[in-house]
């Protein structure tokens, strides 16, 4: 276990900060006195979150619009953060998009987007920030993965592939930078009440546009982020958070993989019957 992260006075850069877990993480970090960099594509939404974070107690908030698909912009964006704050203490790679479609129906372009947004964008920004942390002699890098980064779930083949990939990348990165006083945290949320289902890509690449039952019945985002923040403060390298069903599935996958596979196959059959109906 690494040493705990202290938010007060730290410079925390959050991608996907305009909604969901990213927005709530910014609010709770602000309340603990963190200086913030808020990144996403929608500047008006970032400005709304900035105002909320300043009201919550952050001493300084930089709005920095960023599209994680624009890999060439990462170095300049990183330089802008360092020019403003002088350092980067925590990078939270939180931008991402989900999927709701069966493999047989899914256009290959959807898989490409899953990997570009959820994997390569996170890697590109991490590669831009890592030299800054190495030079300053400390730092902390995190990624919002998912329970889907540990378990293969139906109608999420591309999403699961991407989240498994980021789990592998950041687990490996953790080994490489441990001796450099840089910590790496992987966050594995289950079903959290955010817009993740509404924004999820369907078979032809269009957004689902509505909540699904799993997300609608999931954990409140405020409770989720409280557990995540507590995990950072405790120095937990892999923070699993969600309901008993998702966390129980993680345990089952470790302890009895065949039973987990059977359970997930039944979930797929139920989903197919619901879609057909």
């Amino acid at each position: 276990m690494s040493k705990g992260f202290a938010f007060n006075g730290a410079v925390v850069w959050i991608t996907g900060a305009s909604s969901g877990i990213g927005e709530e993480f910014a609010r709770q970090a602000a309340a603990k006195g963190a200086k913030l960099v808020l990144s996403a594509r929608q500047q008006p939404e970032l400005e709304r979150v900035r105002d909320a974070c300043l009201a919550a107690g952050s001493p300084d908030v930089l709005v920095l619009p960023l599209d994680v698909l624009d890999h060439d912009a990462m170095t300049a964006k990183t330089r802008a953060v360092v020019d403003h704050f002088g350092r980067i203490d925590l990078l939270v790679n939180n931008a991402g998009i989900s999927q709701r479609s069966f493999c047989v129906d899914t256009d290959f372009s959807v898989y490409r987007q899953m990997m570009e947004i959820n994997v390569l964008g996170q890697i590109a920004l991490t590669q831009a920030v890592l030299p800054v942390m190495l030079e300053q002699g400390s730092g902390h890098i995190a990624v919002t993965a998912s329970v889907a980064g540990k378990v293969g779930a139906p109608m999420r083949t591309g999403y699961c592939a991407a989240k498994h990939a980021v789990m592998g990348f950041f687990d490996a990165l953790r080994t490489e930078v441990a001796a450099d006083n840089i910590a790496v945290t992987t966050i594995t949320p289950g079903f959290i009440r955010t817009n993740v289902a509404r924004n999820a890509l369907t078979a032809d690449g269009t957004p689902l546009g509505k909540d699904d039952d799993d997300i609608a019945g999931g954990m409140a985002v405020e409770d989720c982020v409280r557990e995540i923040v507590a995990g950072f403060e405790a120095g937990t390298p892999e923070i699993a958070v969600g309901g008993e069903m998702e966390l129980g599935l993680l345990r089952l996958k470790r302890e009895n993989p065949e039973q987990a596979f059977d359970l997930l196959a039944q979930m797929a059959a139920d989903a197919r019957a619901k879609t057909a109906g």
Side-chain angles (χ1 to χ4, degrees):
M1 181 180 292
S2 61
K3 63 182 180 180
F5 184 81
F7 284 90
N8 188 32
V11 177
V12 179
W13 187 358
I14 306 164
T15 66
S18 60
S19 65
I21 288 175
E23 175 181 350
E24 184 59 27
F25 191 94
R27 290 172 180 265
Q28 294 194 26
K32 290 181 174 289
K35 303 172 185 176
L36 299 172
V37 184
L38 306 178
S39 289
R41 289 176 299 171
Q42 304 89 354
Q43 182 157 345
E45 288 302 299
L46 291 175
E47 291 172 352
R48 176 185 60 80
V49 177
R50 175 198 61 198
D51 293 345
C53 290
L54 290 170
S58 175
D60 194 359
V61 181
L62 173 65
V63 168
L64 190 70
L66 173 69
D67 185 342
V68 296
L69 293 178
D70 188 1
H71 302 164
D72 293 337
M74 300 302 189
T75 299
K77 296 289 185 178
T78 301
R79 189 180 306 117
V81 176
V82 175
D83 287 346
H84 186 90
F85 286 112
R87 60 184 298 110
I88 302 169
D89 296 302
L90 170 61
L91 170 65
V92 182
N93 290 289
N94 177 69
I97 192 165
S98 191
Q99 173 203 6
R100 296 293 187 274
S101 60
F102 287 106
C103 175
V104 68
D105 303 319
T106 303
D107 190 271
F108 187 75
S109 65
V110 172
Y111 289 117
R112 190 181 300 278
Q113 288 185 74
M114 288 294 116
M115 301 305 288
E116 288 281 355
I117 295 170
N118 294 327
V119 184
L120 298 180
Q122 323 306 316
I123 292 174
L125 184 55
T126 295
Q127 280 198 302
V129 169
L130 185 56
V132 174
M133 293 184 174
L134 289 169
E135 184 175 352
Q136 68 194 23
S138 65
H140 200 128
I141 298 170
V143 66
T144 303
S146 171
V147 169
K150 295 282 192 175
V151 174
M155 300 189 75
R156 295 163 175 81
T157 47
Y159 184 66
C160 288
K163 293 302 186 179
H164 274 69
V166 294
M167 288 294 293
F169 176 87
F170 285 93
D171 279 350
L173 180 65
R174 183 186 294 112
T175 69
E176 294 182 1
V177 299
D180 299 304
N181 197 32
I182 297 173
V184 174
T185 298
T186 50
I187 306 165
T188 59
F191 298 130
I192 312 299
R193 292 202 299 271
T194 68
N195 289 329
V196 64
R198 289 178 176 272
N199 297 330
L201 301 185
T202 56
D204 63 359
T206 57
L208 182 64
K210 61 181 181 179
D211 290 331
D212 59 25
D213 293 340
D214 291 332
I215 297 300
M219 175 183 280
V221 69
E222 297 84 358
D223 296 335
C224 166
V225 172
R226 270 192 289 273
E227 291 194 24
I228 293 171
V229 167
F232 275 100
E233 293 176 327
T236 307
E238 183 175 304
I239 304 170
V241 56
E244 179 52 37
M245 184 181 77
E246 307 96 282
L247 300 187
L249 189 55
L250 285 177
R251 291 192 296 270
L252 186 63
K253 176 71 183 301
R254 289 193 303 268
E255 297 166 4
N256 191 337
E258 289 189 11
Q259 187 177 348
F261 297 150
D262 289 343
L263 176 62
L264 289 156
Q266 184 58 54
M267 290 172 59
D270 293 344
R272 190 173 293 280
K274 185 176 179 180
T275 302

